[in-house]
Amino acid sequence: MKKIIESSKKVWIKTFGCQMNYHDTERILSNLSELNYELSKNIEEADLILFNTCAIRDLANSKFYSSLGEVKVLKKRENKSVIVGVGGCVAQIEGNDLIKKYKHLDFAFGTDQIDNINKMVERVQNGDSKFIYDSYDPSQDYSIETKIINKSPQAFVNIIKGCNNFCTYCIVPFSRGREKSRRSSEILSDIKNLIATGVQEVTLLGQNVNAFGKENNERFSDLLLAVNDLIGLKRLRYTTSHPYFISDDLIKAHSTCDKLSDHLHLPVQSGSDSVLKRMGRRYTSSHYLEILEKIREANPRIVITSDIIVGFPNETENEFLETISLLEKARFDSIYSYKFSPRPGTVAEKIVDELLMSEKSKRLQTVQQIQEKIQVEIRSSFVGSKATLLVEGAGRMRGVKKWKGRSSCNRLIHFVPPSENDDFLGKWVDVEVLSATPFSCQGSLIGLTC
Ligand code: SAH
Ligand code: SF4
Ligand code: F3S
């Protein structure tokens, strides 16, 4: 029998956390492809195991630690030569401890070290291990060309990294460093190159995306206008924005940029002014609601989503009810809601919290129930309307093949193709919305978008 020579190596990677981390994972894989590593879905056959970690809440942390424990068993019993590395926000914050504590861990790397991944892997291949790359160089310009591993009509593009806000509960400024923006000219040529490879929808990314450009005297709204003008681009999104940095010129861009999606994710966190103050958010609930009013005036189709934290230390019943009242006034299309999780090194971690965990859980449940009711109401008015989707993939639901794509307002809609063999991947289609619940939207295909 002819011997098959395997030239490529396998990497298995587990990603936790936000869009930024998933985008970083794509960059890690793209870098590693230069060393001939290809992605494997099977951890047992991996030559390299990586974790891209998230530290935002205790739950994300614990999930990572339990996966790391499983790898210890694997490395010991089955595949002694496998290389194990940890990157991302946990590695940035506690990489040294990780390296010391976990014998099966070869290296750790911080959030600003992704482009050095190949050097690290080669060091381990050459017999070195137990090292960490976690430095930041704040004097360096933020210049980074987007790397894509799989051809796709959608792309994420980093425009700003880090965060200067230091909300009192949040670990991100510690794990991602200070804000640093790319230059508009570089971003524009990056997106033009992406368009040349077939990209049609771009999401501009940042922890605090609308603080973009301050150090270079550039405005986020001007960047949106310039990206909107790029020939070949069909849809533009951005995430995540902070209410404090929503300016009038940005609101105006939502009426002038025809490619800008009908969606804004604008985390409010709480409806109580006293809690917002303790969180260090720098806006009041009425200011937040004013922003929504103005943005809905600029684009009446716009759909708003948000994040809520319940049970911030010593949140009173009244303060909690103010959040409920804000939910009813803001009428979000969906929310991510969380119980406050104390994070090491943050201001809020040090507050002596009298509020019981059982009460926090009850409040979270209440928020979710009220939001679900609002969502049912909002989404029922979506039924019967026409939506344009960029098709992302297919699957089977109770044996029936369905394609799915996101509308401009970021709702995921499924539709049945005329024939099982049709290929809609990456195509733009129009659908009529048949049903829309908080959990799923179904449409019927009208045809390809003209
Ligand atoms: N930069 C974004 C949010 C990034 S983190 C912003 O400022 O809005 C994503 C979400 O995680 C936050 O909006 C917040 O709702 C939640 N979060 C962050 N730290 C948290 C903590 N310590 N406990 C619970 N939720 C937290
Ligand atoms: Fe965290 Fe606040 Fe920065 Fe968002 S703005 S990343 S919540 S510190
Ligand atoms: Fe988590 Fe880091 Fe993102 S803490 S939410 S992966 S920036």
Side-chain angles (χ1 to χ4, degrees), residues 56-57 169 207 267 269 281 307 309 338-339 341 343:
I56 201 83
R57 282 170 294 277
Y169 51 83
Q207 290 308 334
Q269 316 298 1
R281 292 291 289 181
D307 295 348
I309 298 176
Y338 313 101
K339 260 186 287 187
S341 171
R343 305 317 294 132

Side-chain angles (χ1 to χ4, degrees), residues 56-57 163 165 167 169-172 206-208 240-243 265-267 269 281 307-309 336 338-343:
I56 201 83
R57 282 170 294 277
C163 182
N165 284 328
C167 299
Y169 51 83
C170 186
I171 199 130
V172 171
Q207 290 308 334
N208 195 12
T240 297
S241 40
H242 189 298
H265 185 65
L266 194 60
Q269 316 298 1
R281 292 291 289 181
D307 295 348
I308 300 281
I309 298 176
Y336 293 104
Y338 313 101
K339 260 186 287 187
F340 166 75
S341 171
R343 305 317 294 132

Side-chain angles (χ1 to χ4, degrees), residues 316-379:
T316 64
E317 176 71 16
N318 250 348
E319 287 171 335
F320 171 65
L321 291 176
E322 285 168 342
T323 295
I324 298 296
S325 157
L326 181 123
L327 282 182
E328 276 156 356
K329 289 182 194 140
R331 296 185 67 77
F332 297 120
D333 191 63
S334 64
I335 58 165
Y336 293 104
S337 50
Y338 313 101
K339 260 186 287 187
F340 166 75
S341 171
R343 305 317 294 132
T346 60
V347 170
E349 184 223 2
K350 293 170 190 73
I351 304 172
V352 180
D353 188 5
E354 307 285 343
L355 189 61
L356 293 176
M357 191 49 87
S358 56
E359 182 57 29
K360 294 186 193 224
S361 303
K362 211 171 97 199
R363 289 182 187 178
L364 184 63
Q365 219 180 7
T366 308
V367 157
Q368 289 171 346
Q369 279 163 356
I370 289 178
Q371 175 59 29
E372 191 180 320
K373 196 173 126 274
I374 294 168
Q375 241 162 284
V376 168
E377 285 163 16
I378 296 180
R379 294 207 170 185

Side-chain angles (χ1 to χ4, degrees), residues 10 21 23 35 56 63 93 102 118 186 239 262 303 319 363 366-367 395 410:
K10 306 265 192 246
N21 250 22
H23 188 52
L35 287 188
I56 201 83
K63 280 187 187 161
I93 292 164
Y102 293 90
N118 292 359
E186 187 195 272
T239 199
D262 298 333
V303 152
E319 287 171 335
R363 289 182 187 178
T366 308
V367 157
N410 209 33

Side-chain angles (χ1 to χ4, degrees), residues 153-390:
Q154 288 165 303
F156 291 92
V157 173
N158 282 344
I159 65 163
I160 177 172
K161 64 176 177 177
C163 182
N164 292 354
N165 284 328
F166 287 94
C167 299
T168 57
Y169 51 83
C170 186
I171 199 130
V172 171
F174 304 93
S175 67
R176 293 269 173 181
R178 294 296 71 71
E179 269 168 28
K180 202 101 203 193
S181 303
R182 292 173 72 191
R183 302 219 172 235
S184 289
S185 52
E186 187 195 272
I187 296 167
L188 289 169
S189 74
D190 195 14
I191 300 178
K192 274 188 206 158
N193 291 340
L194 292 170
I195 294 170
T197 70
V199 166
Q200 298 171 31
E201 179 183 294
V202 156
T203 304
L204 306 179
L205 270 189
Q207 290 308 334
N208 195 12
V209 79
N210 53 333
F212 167 83
K214 279 187 291 180
E215 69 268 37
N216 303 324
N217 282 326
E218 294 188 317
R219 289 197 309 183
F220 181 52
S221 60
D222 292 333
L223 176 68
L224 289 179
L225 293 173
V227 177
N228 190 72
D229 280 347
L230 293 178
I231 294 161
L233 187 76
K234 293 198 176 150
R235 192 183 272 164
L236 171 60
R237 302 184 186 276
Y238 65 85
T239 199
T240 297
S241 40
H242 189 298
Y244 181 76
F245 298 94
I246 298 272
S247 52
D248 285 343
D249 49 289
L250 175 54
I251 292 175
K252 195 164 164 225
H254 276 271
S255 73
T256 45
C257 295
D258 59 329
K259 295 174 189 168
L260 196 52
S261 68
D262 298 333
H263 173 229
L264 176 67
H265 185 65
L266 194 60
V268 63
Q269 316 298 1
S270 168
S272 154
D273 291 348
S274 40
V275 172
L276 286 171
K277 196 159 183 205
R278 301 208 296 277
M279 288 177 163
R281 292 291 289 181
R282 293 190 285 166
Y283 53 84
T284 59
S285 57
S286 58
H287 177 215
Y288 182 88
L289 289 168
E290 246 169 63
I291 295 172
L292 295 198
E293 206 177 304
K294 283 193 199 166
I295 214 141
R296 283 171 168 150
E297 210 172 289
N299 176 0
R301 293 177 311 281
I302 203 153
V303 152
I304 315 282
T305 56
S306 198
D307 295 348
I308 300 281
I309 298 176
V310 300
F312 187 78
N314 304 317
E315 179 190 63
T316 64
E317 176 71 16
N318 250 348
E319 287 171 335
F320 171 65
L321 291 176
E322 285 168 342
T323 295
I324 298 296
S325 157
L326 181 123
L327 282 182
E328 276 156 356
K329 289 182 194 140
R331 296 185 67 77
F332 297 120
D333 191 63
S334 64
I335 58 165
Y336 293 104
S337 50
Y338 313 101
K339 260 186 287 187
F340 166 75
S341 171
R343 305 317 294 132
T346 60
V347 170
E349 184 223 2
K350 293 170 190 73
I351 304 172
V352 180
D353 188 5
E354 307 285 343
L355 189 61
L356 293 176
M357 191 49 87
S358 56
E359 182 57 29
K360 294 186 193 224
S361 303
K362 211 171 97 199
R363 289 182 187 178
L364 184 63
Q365 219 180 7
T366 308
V367 157
Q368 289 171 346
Q369 279 163 356
I370 289 178
Q371 175 59 29
E372 191 180 320
K373 196 173 126 274
I374 294 168
Q375 241 162 284
V376 168
E377 285 163 16
I378 296 180
R379 294 207 170 185
S380 68
S381 64
F382 193 42
V383 177
S385 66
K386 188 180 113 178
T388 299
L389 318 179
L390 174 54

Side-chain angles (χ1 to χ4, degrees), residues 118-174:
N118 292 359
K119 273 190 214 156
M120 298 178 232
V121 171
E122 282 177 324
R123 260 181 82 172
V124 184
Q125 283 169 344
N126 291 330
D128 196 2
S129 85
K130 309 305 281 177
F131 56 83
I132 174 163
Y133 280 52
D134 62 354
S135 64
Y136 265 108
D137 183 357
S139 64
Q140 281 252 316
D141 262 8
Y142 182 31
S143 169
I144 184 172
E145 193 194 337
T146 304
K147 289 183 178 175
I148 301 267
I149 185 87
N150 290 318
K151 228 177 139 211
S152 161
Q154 288 165 303
F156 291 92
V157 173
N158 282 344
I159 65 163
I160 177 172
K161 64 176 177 177
C163 182
N164 292 354
N165 284 328
F166 287 94
C167 299
T168 57
Y169 51 83
C170 186
I171 199 130
V172 171
F174 304 93

